[in-house]
Amino acid sequence: MAGIETIRLVVATAIRVGVTGHGKVYKLKKALYRLKQAPWAWNRRIDCFLLQLDFNKCTTEYEVYVRATADDLMFACLYVDDLLVIRSNTTSIDEFKRRIMLEFEMIVLGLLSYFLGMEFVTTSEGIFMHQKRYATEVLKRLHMLDCNSAQTPVDCGIKLEKNKSDRSIDATLYKQIVGSLRFLCRIRPNIAYGVGLISRFMNHLRLSHLLSAKRILRYMKGTLDYGLLFSKHGRSVSDEIHGYRDFDQCGDKKVTSTIGYVFIMCGAPISLCSKKQLVVALSPCEAEYVAASMGACQALWLENVMTEMKIRREEPMKILIDNKSAISLAKHFIAHGRSKHIGTKFHFLRDQVSKGKLELKHCSTNKQVADILTKPLKGNQFKMARDRIGVQPITNLN
């Protein structure tokens, strides 16, 4: 069925050229820019082209295409009209560029240095990923480029609430800050908890909320050179991926807990989450168990993506938890007064553990990397957690 934009365009064009009443219509041979159908038509066009080049489209991550041969492996990552191609054989990449430029009008930007607002620096240690340019632009736009820096993004003793007695603030400015910070969370997982915290008050804005948002900006001011290093040293990629998962029970005076998980690969996080639990847990064990089930869903998705990318794993993916009761509940099919009320969907974790697809390991609280995603930490604790999660300055690589 034709979209309403297409119908309006055809009718307006027919009236302009004076063909109304003669039984003539115009048929669009190509999708026009800015029509609702244009993105879909473009995606279908380039999707068909990549499939003609013997690429396979990942069913678990639609933006990734894989082409595997006996002696070569090639990945293509597509985002609208931006294309990132990864391959070890430079000759094959040159052939791919030649064929795609014969089909489309494209500009080859060379080795990866800037992609979707993220900057990349290739070093002897690996690939360093950061957003210094964007962070500087945000600080300049908000007139905070010369502000005093903060040691941590969130004050350790802060408890934000919907306080009606506090002075209200401009909603536009606050939403601009939150939107910019959420974009920075892609490279800076150490601010994910703080950004998630201030995002909960978009409809009840007070001065205390704005001050907390500006504290995160002041922290960014002092850490502009920080980013993620994907190291090329260490074990094979397929063996070293592992996850951490943690929670903070009622840490913000609410009945629900804040949960967080992170999966690390090549020494840097590839997937993370910091959010409020949707259910009320009656005990720390239950809260840990529910949070671990969410991490299990993400681990299964990562496993499927790696399988489609031809990355084979011999061992089940490990998730490190600092609660032995939750690990015992996942490994043993037991039901007693404190656990029989847990929702059936959360026992997905137990199912994956029994099938051998996941392995739960205990780690001490001092080594729990996911702490930085669930609660505000003091200065030294925050810096230690930041280092463990893989965030570091580029000056360490020089």
Side-chain angles (χ1 to χ4, degrees):
M1 179 181 294
I4 186 63
E5 295 92 347
T6 306
I7 296 174
R8 291 170 181 165
L9 177 65
V10 171
V11 172
T13 307
I15 292 175
R16 181 169 183 174
V17 299
V19 298
T20 58
H22 298 283
K24 298 180 180 180
V25 297
Y26 280 84
K27 180 181 179 181
L28 295 177
K29 295 184 178 180
K30 294 183 178 180
L32 299 182
Y33 182 66
R34 286 198 174 184
L35 288 185
K36 184 172 63 176
Q37 298 87 350
W40 175 81
W42 157 249
N43 184 266
R44 183 178 62 173
R45 177 72 182 87
I46 194 169
D47 180 75
C48 293
F49 175 76
L50 291 174
L51 294 179
Q52 290 175 2
L53 296 182
D54 298 327
F55 279 90
N56 293 320
K57 187 175 184 177
C58 290
T59 58
T60 51
E61 187 64 39
Y62 293 133
E63 297 86 0
V64 178
Y65 295 80
V66 182
R67 188 172 72 182
T69 60
D71 56 350
D72 196 14
L73 187 62
M74 184 174 184
F75 304 109
C77 180
L78 175 67
Y79 185 84
V80 189
D81 57 352
D82 294 317
L83 190 65
L84 175 64
V85 182
I86 303 173
R87 198 174 192 175
S88 58
N89 191 334
T90 55
T91 304
S92 300
I93 288 185
D94 293 337
E95 175 62 19
F96 173 80
K97 291 190 294 185
R98 186 189 66 81
R99 295 189 63 177
I100 198 171
M101 292 183 70
L102 290 175
E103 188 74 16
F104 305 103
E105 293 183 5
M106 286 197 169
I107 301 176
V108 179
L109 300 178
L111 294 177
L112 179 63
S113 61
Y114 189 83
F115 188 69
L116 302 180
M118 297 173 287
E119 300 173 69
F120 299 84
V121 179
T122 303
T123 68
S124 59
E125 299 294 326
I127 297 179
F128 187 78
M129 187 176 177
H130 66 99
Q131 287 181 295
K132 182 179 180 179
R133 183 193 306 180
Y134 178 76
T136 304
E137 292 175 356
V138 170
L139 292 173
K140 184 177 181 180
R141 185 175 70 248
L142 298 174
H143 308 289
M144 295 192 63
L145 195 58
D146 297 325
C147 67
N148 296 325
S149 60
Q151 296 296 321
T152 59
V154 182
D155 187 6
C156 192
I158 192 171
K159 299 291 182 181
L160 295 182
E161 298 179 359
K162 299 176 183 178
N163 188 359
K164 296 183 179 180
S165 63
D166 201 357
R167 180 167 62 88
S168 60
I169 60 170
D170 180 21
T172 302
L173 174 62
Y174 187 83
K175 291 178 180 180
Q176 288 178 352
I177 296 176
V178 173
S180 300
L181 289 174
R182 294 197 71 87
F183 187 74
L184 286 168
C185 284
R186 302 186 305 172
I187 309 297
R188 305 295 293 275
N190 51 322
I191 67 171
Y193 170 75
V195 176
L197 181 63
I198 63 176
S199 299
R200 301 171 190 171
F201 306 94
M202 300 295 284
N203 297 325
H204 304 81
L205 304 180
R206 294 294 183 265
L207 179 60
S208 58
H209 305 147
L210 179 61
L211 295 177
S212 297
K214 287 189 174 182
R215 181 185 174 91
I216 302 177
L217 292 174
R218 293 196 294 114
Y219 171 77
M220 294 299 302
K221 167 62 169 58
T223 57
L224 288 175
D225 293 329
Y226 280 65
L228 302 177
L229 174 66
F230 292 88
S231 176
K232 62 182 180 181
H233 303 298
R235 299 182 300 169
S236 64
V237 172
S238 60
D239 293 334
E240 67 174 5
I241 183 172
H242 57 282
Y244 294 86
R245 195 230 35 77
D246 193 34
F247 89 110
D248 180 33
Q249 189 174 19
C250 305
D252 57 352
K253 296 185 179 181
K254 302 295 181 181
V255 295
T256 53
S257 304
T258 302
I259 65 171
Y261 63 76
V262 57
F263 290 89
I264 295 178
M265 186 179 192
C266 298
I270 59 173
S271 178
L272 60 96
C273 176
S274 176
K275 61 180 295 186
K276 294 286 289 183
Q277 270 188 351
L278 301 180
V279 297
V280 178
L282 303 182
S283 66
C285 174
E286 181 182 345
E288 293 271 8
Y289 187 79
V290 172
S293 67
M294 296 182 60
C297 295
Q298 189 70 7
L300 182 61
W301 175 80
L302 288 172
E303 191 74 42
N304 293 335
V305 171
M306 295 177 67
T307 300
E308 292 198 80
M309 295 178 68
K310 312 303 179 184
I311 301 176
R312 304 297 179 184
R313 293 176 51 85
E314 300 296 335
E315 300 178 355
M317 191 175 300
K318 296 181 177 62
I319 298 181
L320 285 80
I321 304 176
D322 57 0
N323 188 294
K324 293 183 178 181
S325 298
I327 296 176
S328 178
L329 186 61
K331 290 183 177 181
H332 303 96
F333 290 85
I334 55 177
H336 47 72
R338 294 186 178 183
S339 63
K340 63 182 181 181
H341 63 278
I342 297 177
T344 304
K345 66 177 182 179
F346 299 119
H347 292 304
F348 173 77
L349 171 66
R350 179 181 292 174
D351 179 66
Q352 296 300 304
V353 172
S354 64
K355 291 180 179 178
K357 294 183 178 181
L358 288 178
E359 182 180 357
L360 301 182
K361 290 284 189 179
H362 180 264
C363 71
S364 63
T365 303
N366 296 332
K367 297 182 180 179
Q368 179 54 262
V369 173
D371 268 349
I372 201 172
L373 302 174
T374 61
K375 57 180 74 71
L377 302 175
K378 295 182 180 179
N380 293 334
Q381 293 177 325
F382 177 82
K383 291 179 181 178
M384 292 176 60
R386 183 185 63 190
D387 294 341
R388 293 196 198 104
I389 208 170
V391 179
Q392 57 180 292
I394 193 173
T395 52
N396 288 355
L397 308 178
N398 298 332

